[in-house]
Amino acid sequence: MKFCVLTLFPQLVEAGLHESIFARARKKGLIELETVDIRDYTSDPHRRVDDYTYGGGAGMLIQAQPVYDAWRAVVSRFDKKPRTIYVTPQGRVFNQKLAQELAAEENLVFLCGHYEGIDERVLDEIVTDRISIGDYVLTGGELPAMVMMDAIARLKPGVLHNEESAETESFDNDLLEYPQYTRPECWHGKEVPAVLLTGDHKKITAWRLEQSKERTRHLRPDLYARYEDRQTVIAWLSRQKRQHIHMMELLRRGLGEVLCFNPLDGALLLEKGGAVMLTCTSVEAGERLLDRCPIDLSGRLFCVCSSEIIPVLYERYHLSEARGCYQAYYTRGVPLPVPKDMDIRRLDLSFAEEIFAECHELVTWEELKGRLTARTMYGAFMQSDEGETVLAGYIGTHSEGALGMLQVRTQYRGRGIGAALESFMINLALTRGEIPFGHIFEGNEASLRLQRKLKMNVTDVILWWVS
Ligand code: ADE
């Protein structure tokens, strides 16, 4: 990913980002940063870039010409016009969701104002987004631009060393992070909470959730209200848990949001990957939810809990295909055995082509790349007859959280690799306090056998993926 910063103070930006994690990511080539001095583009012989404001008023304004020429010089090097962010207290307020959205861009240009601002005419011409970092006024846009670049950069794979992916973290589920402790066990007479020393993951996860809730309630009542709204929907869904486990997990894990909810009609959810999930008490109720949906749902993939609503989706959104599937989920909470000699590792983007060659029916190229980038795919490695280490099988989670994309190469079948991979993923989900689940398309008997072997609950209720 490349950041370009148009500024009158390039040294300030360079100095602010030349240490720690951002600098390391730059060295590793994960992030590029280019600072461009707007003053280098002024046509004024005295290198002036500012002038008085028409109509009077205090202070000076940056002129349109140097800004425009600096921007042109930068964007002429890109294939497509990049998003250009004017950093200003008059913009929409930056948050984690926006950071995630911007992290998906290949190139971002930040335009930093100073003095009283920039001539509006050039802003109209080049700016795609106006973003503020909060309701207070700083002396210039450089610090806010640095704040945003830092928040965006840490979402890129490989930038953080942390093993946990940045896919689910603080704010995603509207809760603040719980308190954490390191050695020594006792400091200034204060003990580390006993539960953290028990090694009991279930108890630890429950304790952390309580702490997060407590903190959020105290420090961010606004976030807590959103969390409670979400809990109301989860509680409603849990009345038919077998049917709704995928929607409950989506909300619990912070992988999606509620578009529309009414206890009499049902719930309409949007997952981060763009698919829509619908459950409704009747066809009419489903139509009411779709009518009240605040965004356009055309062209999206749907997952629905009843076949009766499918014709409505076909007609409204010009869809034409529905595939039924069973839902399998694991509620026993006990980790499953994974053979010790099974070499299972997280996969990165370098495996994309190798995997896509075999599973193009299960995922699109874009989705596969997204799953690898989000670091949610794992592979089992074996020694080939030639003594090489090869990828024998793989598994991942889809963007809505379902386990899937499980494949074992033909020559490695019958060795328990599929079961080991799925058990590994189930155990991983358990350590995060999640309920592992997956969708099995009708007719996939081999997968159904595997789910039953792993003691997954397999519902007879059929969900429908409509595309
Ligand atoms: N420039 C000055 N103050 C700012 C703020 N709060 N956010 C973004 N840009 C700014």
Side-chain angles (χ1 to χ4, degrees):
M1 170 168 214
K2 178 163 184 172
F3 297 117
C4 279
V5 185
L6 307 181
T7 167
L8 290 173
F9 300 95
Q11 306 279 7
L12 179 57
V13 179
E14 288 289 347
L17 295 175
H18 108 136
E19 279 200 78
S20 186
I21 295 172
F22 195 98
R24 193 182 64 207
R26 249 177 117 179
K27 268 203 203 103
K28 282 206 255 171
L30 299 167
I31 299 286
E32 272 183 78
L33 170 67
E34 182 186 358
T35 50
V36 176
D37 191 344
I38 296 171
R39 205 178 290 280
D40 288 345
Y41 289 86
T42 178
S43 50
D44 183 88
H46 307 291
R47 283 180 55 84
R48 271 188 64 172
V49 289
D50 58 333
D51 211 330
Y52 294 100
T53 45
Y54 280 115
M60 310 286 273
L61 215 56
I62 302 179
Q63 292 167 295
Q65 176 274 318
V67 172
Y68 187 67
D69 289 353
W71 179 80
R72 282 291 302 266
V74 165
V75 301
S76 63
R77 287 187 260 119
F78 298 134
D79 300 337
K80 89 176 202 265
K81 194 177 151 188
R83 272 171 90 163
T84 299
I85 296 163
Y86 178 41
V87 184
T88 164
Q90 280 118 39
R92 69 197 264 222
V93 179
F94 188 67
N95 60 17
Q96 192 64 22
K97 197 169 168 201
L98 188 49
Q100 278 158 354
E101 181 188 319
L102 294 172
E105 298 289 324
E106 221 163 287
N107 302 298
L108 284 176
V109 177
F110 287 91
L111 171 60
C112 304
H114 248 271
Y115 315 122
E116 283 308 299
I118 299 178
D119 190 305
E120 195 65 25
R121 292 166 295 183
V122 67
L123 299 178
D124 285 346
E125 217 152 295
I126 68 172
V127 167
T128 55
D129 302 81
R130 295 176 187 229
I131 307 181
S132 161
I133 59 161
D135 293 340
Y136 43 84
V137 182
L138 301 168
T139 54
E142 286 74 14
L143 285 171
M146 284 189 260
V147 166
M148 288 188 244
M149 287 189 283
D150 189 275
I152 295 165
R154 66 181 286 289
L155 296 176
K156 303 300 287 182
V159 171
L160 296 181
H161 278 325
N162 194 342
E163 276 301 288
E164 275 293 295
S165 94
E167 184 162 271
T168 50
E169 58 182 356
S170 266
F171 295 112
D172 274 342
N173 61 4
D174 296 321
L175 289 179
L176 302 177
E177 187 120 28
Y178 44 81
Q180 308 212 59
Y181 304 85
T182 183
R183 270 190 284 219
E185 242 175 80
C186 182
W187 180 82
H188 278 202
K190 293 186 170 90
E191 302 278 352
V192 168
V195 63
L196 300 177
L197 310 176
T198 60
D200 182 335
H201 281 299
K202 217 169 160 184
K203 273 200 194 139
I204 293 174
T205 306
W207 180 85
R208 287 179 165 163
L209 176 64
E210 270 320 302
Q211 293 289 317
S212 283
K213 283 164 62 176
E214 199 50 41
R215 273 199 169 175
T216 315
R217 197 165 28 226
H218 261 94
L219 299 171
R220 291 290 305 273
D222 56 325
L223 277 188
Y224 194 71
R226 284 218 313 249
Y227 170 77
E228 283 198 311
D229 285 349
R230 199 188 270 249
Q231 292 311 107
T232 307
V233 181
I234 295 174
W236 184 89
L237 292 167
S238 71
R239 297 191 312 193
Q240 281 172 294
K241 187 170 167 186
R242 287 160 60 78
Q243 191 175 359
H244 291 148
I245 204 87
H246 62 307
M247 296 176 83
M248 292 165 63
E249 281 299 294
L250 185 83
L251 294 179
R252 275 207 201 116
R253 299 184 199 177
L255 294 175
E257 59 182 295
V258 180
L259 287 174
C260 223
F261 170 67
N262 178 323
L264 296 178
D265 289 344
L268 185 66
L269 313 182
L270 177 68
E271 62 104 351
K272 281 186 185 169
V276 178
M277 302 200 168
L278 171 66
T279 182
C280 45
T281 50
S282 67
V283 174
E284 295 72 33
E287 294 208 75
R288 276 195 294 277
L289 288 168
L290 295 169
D291 285 342
R292 272 184 264 126
C293 176
I295 62 165
D296 179 17
L297 301 180
S298 322
R300 290 184 187 266
L301 183 65
F302 280 78
C303 179
V304 297
C305 298
S306 77
S307 58
E308 287 86 52
I309 195 78
I310 295 172
V312 175
L313 300 179
Y314 279 4
E315 193 173 322
R316 280 193 182 219
Y317 306 114
H318 311 292
L319 303 175
S320 57
E321 198 191 319
R323 292 182 73 189
C325 59
Y326 301 92
Q327 178 139 260
Y329 60 99
Y330 186 81
T331 43
R332 293 196 315 143
V334 203
L336 292 167
V338 178
K340 283 226 162 32
D341 57 350
M342 195 65 75
D343 178 10
I344 299 180
R345 285 178 255 152
R346 179 185 281 140
L347 301 176
D348 62 22
L349 257 184
S350 64
F351 289 93
E353 280 179 21
E354 192 177 341
I355 295 175
F356 194 63
E358 288 179 30
C359 81
H360 54 271
E361 283 181 5
L362 301 176
V363 276
T364 63
W365 174 242
E366 284 310 317
E367 188 188 4
L368 177 63
K369 277 206 317 196
R371 301 328 293 150
L372 286 164
T373 309
R375 314 208 293 165
T376 60
M377 291 200 69
Y378 289 80
F381 292 85
M382 293 256 142
Q383 293 289 345
S384 72
D385 293 342
E386 290 75 39
E388 273 178 86
T389 305
V390 290
L391 179 64
Y394 44 83
I395 192 167
T397 51
H398 292 284
S399 53
E400 81 281 5
L403 291 172
M405 296 169 276
L406 175 61
Q407 287 280 315
V408 178
R409 297 220 157 119
T410 327
Q411 64 271 40
Y412 297 102
R413 289 193 184 151
R415 302 189 197 184
I417 295 174
L421 279 167
E422 187 161 332
S423 301
F424 175 89
M425 294 300 276
I426 288 173
N427 297 348
L428 198 64
L430 294 181
T431 64
R432 297 180 179 143
E434 300 168 354
I435 297 178
F437 72 95
H439 294 163
I440 302 107
F441 285 121
E442 272 182 300
N444 188 348
E445 295 305 323
S447 177
L448 283 173
R449 270 198 304 280
L450 175 61
Q451 309 316 318
R452 294 199 175 105
K453 181 172 154 192
L454 298 179
K455 303 274 190 313
M456 297 276 265
N457 301 299
V458 182
T459 62
D460 41 10
V461 185
I462 290 194
L463 296 175
W464 300 87
W465 279 95
V466 188
S467 56

